[in-house]
Amino acid sequence: MSTPQRPTAVEVHHPTPLTPTHPMPLVPAQPAPVSPVASVVLPDGRVVTGYAIEPAKPETVVSKPAVSRTAVNIALGGIGFGAVCGGLVLLTTFIAALTALITQLITLAAVIFGGWIAVQILGTSSHRGGTTVNIRKAVIKRNHFHG
């Protein structure tokens, strides 16, 4: 008699779905022009037919400037700003020198005018409204002054 077999565990495999890949869109390219078929007759009378081989011509490349216009404009703006800053420094120096000159002129005028006023006030003048007495020649007798 045969022995009954036990059922074995069943393994179930589920397939992993593949993500669909999107192919790159194809860009239509212009086919290269086909050169015409040329036939050559050899001196012994045989005819050879084939395509004429022309040297490949390089594609014309549109020349772009080495530096963009924006970069050139920024550089020129920087140069102009530097020139203006130099002028502003000179202008500031000129204003400071002019201020110092005006201050010195005002000080000089005050000294000269103040000196003139001092001479007018403190200066001796013979035109004062009083009597000038020479004390050396005066004789004082009994509290009277005789000049």
Side-chain angles (χ1 to χ4, degrees):
M1 286 195 124
S2 69
T3 60
Q5 291 186 356
R6 289 187 178 180
T8 59
V10 178
E11 292 183 27
V12 179
H13 293 284
H14 295 287
T16 307
L18 297 175
T19 57
T21 59
H22 298 289
M24 295 289 290
L26 295 176
V27 178
Q30 291 287 344
V34 178
S35 58
V37 177
S39 297
V40 178
V41 179
L42 297 177
D44 60 356
R46 292 182 293 163
V47 178
V48 178
T49 304
Y51 292 101
I53 299 174
E54 295 181 12
K57 296 178 183 176
E59 294 183 21
T60 56
V61 178
V62 178
S63 63
K64 289 185 177 180
V67 181
S68 69
R69 293 204 184 273
T70 305
V72 170
N73 289 340
I74 290 172
L76 290 176
I79 291 171
F81 183 72
V84 168
C85 286
L88 289 176
V89 167
L90 290 177
L91 181 65
T92 305
T93 306
F94 175 74
I95 290 173
L98 186 64
T99 303
L101 176 68
I102 291 172
T103 303
Q104 288 178 356
L105 288 176
I106 290 173
T107 305
L108 180 65
V111 168
I112 291 175
F113 185 69
W116 182 76
I117 294 291
V119 168
Q120 295 299 317
I121 293 175
L122 302 176
T124 57
S125 175
S126 60
H127 301 295
R128 291 204 175 165
T131 305
T132 303
V133 177
N134 190 347
I135 295 178
R136 290 183 195 167
K137 295 181 181 178
V139 178
I140 300 174
K141 294 183 180 179
R142 296 187 206 137
N143 292 331
H144 286 105
F145 182 75
H146 299 283

